Amino acid sequence: MPPRARARCAGLPAEFHRADATAFLAGTERRRNAVVSRFGAVWFHDPRRLLPLVRDRLGPGGLLAFSHAPALPGCYGPQGTHPGGLRGRPLAVRRWSYTPRRWTGLLRAAGFERVDAAVLPAPDPAGLGTLMVRAWLPAAP
């Protein structure tokens, strides 16, 4: 885990795990209050597989928060890319990119009750914004 992330969270009850997200979540029974993915696991895993695993590891009222680059218009679902441009050995990396509305539907279908999803504009109008999503499970009855 990058030292900067640990430094930023010093003094907070945060845990960092470096593992495949689906394997990690499937292999633990521990419940958490929140799961955060910053340009990470949610972007790089099939949401139909990942979201139910996250849901099952969150306690009542639990929060999933994630961010990544917004989908390019007309380019939705799993996307492939070649890291490093077109030089070197190709390594296909799949990312799941959707509109805020589609993410809302996927999250609700996975059992999240309240969803706040939007693309925040970049400070520079010529820049790329950031998709920001927060989704909560129902609170305990």
Side-chain angles (χ1 to χ4, degrees):
M1 186 56 48
R4 289 186 308 185
R6 291 189 188 283
R8 287 182 184 149
C9 294
L12 297 174
E15 294 178 27
F16 298 91
H17 299 276
R18 188 177 204 150
D20 175 81
T22 55
F24 176 80
L25 291 168
T28 183
E29 294 296 320
R30 184 163 175 218
R31 294 201 177 268
R32 289 162 166 61
N33 295 322
V35 172
V36 178
S37 171
R38 183 175 161 252
F39 286 72
V42 175
W43 201 14
F44 295 103
H45 285 82
D46 183 344
R48 288 171 188 84
R49 176 146 191 250
L50 180 67
L51 296 179
L53 289 168
V54 172
R55 176 202 60 221
D56 292 346
R57 297 301 166 251
L58 286 171
L63 168 69
L64 168 61
F66 65 91
S67 64
H68 60 70
L72 297 174
C75 297
Y76 307 118
Q79 308 287 313
T81 187
H82 293 277
L86 299 176
R87 291 175 287 156
R89 190 177 128 243
L91 172 66
V93 177
R94 293 182 78 187
R95 296 182 295 209
W96 277 259
S97 295
Y98 297 105
T99 63
R101 182 177 176 168
R102 180 70 177 126
W103 273 116
T104 297
L106 289 165
L107 287 155
R108 288 193 175 137
F112 289 86
E113 181 176 76
R114 195 171 99 223
V115 180
D116 177 25
V119 174
L120 304 180
D124 176 353
L128 186 63
T130 302
L131 173 78
M132 299 286 291
V133 180
R134 296 179 300 170
W136 292 266
L137 289 179

